C-alpha cells in the first residue's frame, strides 16, 4: 500500500513536483555518471519523473529509454522530451533483449521498501552491459521514514548502510560515493547520499 500511495501522490501532484524538480541542480551527479559512458551509449532512466534528466542525456548524444510508475509523470516526460516513456514500475519494466551502458535512478529507488530493494537492484543490474554503471540517490540517514505531510515512503542511506547493502548484491562494486546538499530553496537543509556502482 505504501508504494501505491506514493504513486498516487505523484499522479495528483505532477505539475507541482515538475516545477520543483526543474529547480534542482544535479549537474555534478550527471557529469560524474556520464564520464563512465561512451559517446552515444544507451542509458535507462529508472523512475524518470517529468523528464528533466532525459533532456540532459539527449543533449549529450546518448540513446535514452525511460519509465516511471506515475501515469501523469510519464505524460509530462513524453511531452517535454519526445521520448516514449513507458508507464511501468521497477518490478514490471522489461527491456527485452536490450542492454544499457548506464542506469540512472535519481531519487526514485528511495520509494522502494528496503525489504524489496535488493531484488529491484538485481533486476536492474541484469539490464546492464558488463562494466555498465548505475547511479542512485537517497535521502541521507540510517532509518526509513514515511512523510507526515505526503504519506510517501523514503528509504534513507548513509555511507555505512549503503556499503553494507551493496556487499549483499553480487557482481557490482562501488566506484563513487558522496554526500551533497539539496540545491532547492525549500530543501536547503536536506542532505543526499549519491552513489555510482559498476557491474563487474
Amino acid at each position: 500500500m505504501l508504494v501505491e500511495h506514493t504513486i498516487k501522490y505523484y499522479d495528483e501532484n505532477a505539475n507541482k513536483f515538475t516545477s520543483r524538480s526543474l529547480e534542482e541542480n544535479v549537474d555534478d551527479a550527471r557529469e560524474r555518471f556520464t564520464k563512465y559512458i561512451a559517446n552515444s551509449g544507451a542509458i535507462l532512466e529508472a523512475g524518470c519523473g517529468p523528464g528533466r534528466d532525459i533532456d540532459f542525456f539527449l543533449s549529450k548524444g546518448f540513446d535514452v529509454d525511460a519509465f516511471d510508475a506515475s501515469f501523469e509523470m510519464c505524460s509530462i516526460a513524453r511531452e517535454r522530451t519526445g521520448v516514449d516513456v513507458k508507464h511501468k514500475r521497477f518490478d514490471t519494466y522489461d527491456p527485452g533483449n536490450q542492454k544499457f551502458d548506464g542506469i540512472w535512478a535519481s531519487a526514485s529507488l528511495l520509494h522502494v521498501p528496503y525489504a524489496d530493494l535488493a531484488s529491484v537492484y538485481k533486476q536492474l543490474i541484469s539490464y546492464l552491459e558488463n562494466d555498465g554503471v548505475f547511479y542512485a540517490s537517497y535521502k541521507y540517514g540510517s532509518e526509513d521514514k514515511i512523510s507526515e505531510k505526503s504519506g510517501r515512503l523514503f528509504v534513507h542511506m548513509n555511507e555505512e548502510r549503503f556499503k553494507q547493502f551493496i556487499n549483499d548484491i553480487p557482481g557490482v562494486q562501488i566506484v563513487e560515493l558522496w554526500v551533497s546538499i539539496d540545491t532547492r530553496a525549500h530543501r536547503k537543509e536536506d542532505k543526499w547520499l549519491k552513489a555510482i556502482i559498476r557491474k563487474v
Side-chain angles (χ1 to χ4, degrees):
M1 286 299 295
L2 278 173
V3 173
E4 284 73 16
H5 187 89
T6 298
I7 295 169
K8 182 180 178 183
Y9 170 87
Y10 287 110
D11 279 333
E12 294 178 348
N13 296 274
N15 289 329
K16 180 174 73 174
F17 183 82
T18 296
S19 297
R20 290 184 173 179
S21 174
L22 296 176
E23 291 174 5
E24 188 174 6
N25 185 334
V26 292
D27 288 349
D28 176 59
R30 293 187 298 205
E31 294 293 346
R32 289 183 189 229
F33 172 70
T34 54
K35 74 183 180 184
Y36 295 104
I37 303 174
N39 293 338
S40 302
I43 292 175
L44 171 65
E45 183 164 9
C48 66
R52 174 199 65 199
D53 300 321
I54 296 174
D55 278 337
F56 174 84
F57 297 136
L58 290 174
S59 74
K60 298 296 183 181
F62 296 107
D63 181 32
V64 182
D65 268 26
F67 69 89
D68 199 277
S70 162
F71 178 84
E72 296 298 332
M73 285 295 179
C74 289
S75 297
I76 292 171
R78 289 189 200 109
E79 184 175 346
R80 291 189 69 253
T81 68
V83 170
D84 182 22
V85 175
K86 312 298 190 299
H87 180 217
K88 298 289 184 180
R89 293 165 44 141
F90 292 115
D91 57 353
T92 61
Y93 174 78
D94 182 359
N97 294 324
Q98 184 172 5
K99 296 287 187 178
F100 299 95
D101 302 294
I103 294 176
W104 175 265
S106 179
S108 57
L109 287 164
L110 81 177
H111 293 311
V112 176
Y114 188 83
D116 301 328
L117 202 54
S119 64
V120 171
Y121 262 71
K122 290 172 185 176
Q123 188 66 40
L124 291 173
I125 289 163
S126 73
Y127 305 151
L128 278 174
E129 299 278 10
N130 290 333
D131 290 326
V133 290
F134 184 139
Y135 169 83
S137 58
Y138 295 89
K139 287 182 176 291
Y140 190 85
S142 59
E143 297 180 355
D144 305 332
K145 299 176 183 178
I146 298 174
S147 168
E148 293 181 4
K149 184 176 180 180
S150 68
R152 289 175 293 167
L153 167 70
F154 288 97
V155 169
H156 288 58
M157 291 281 191
N158 57 20
E159 294 91 338
E160 181 179 357
R161 191 182 197 198
F162 188 79
K163 288 176 182 178
Q164 183 176 11
F165 170 75
I166 291 297
N167 281 341
D168 294 328
I169 307 293
V172 295
Q173 64 182 21
I174 297 171
V175 292
E176 294 196 43
L177 189 64
W178 74 103
V179 178
S180 71
I181 304 298
D182 203 309
T183 60
R184 294 170 294 178
H186 70 294
R187 294 290 189 186
K188 284 292 189 181
E189 302 301 316
D190 289 3
K191 293 170 64 178
W192 290 82
L193 184 77
K194 299 182 176 182
I196 298 172
I197 61 175
R198 185 193 300 278
K199 182 177 182 178
V200 295

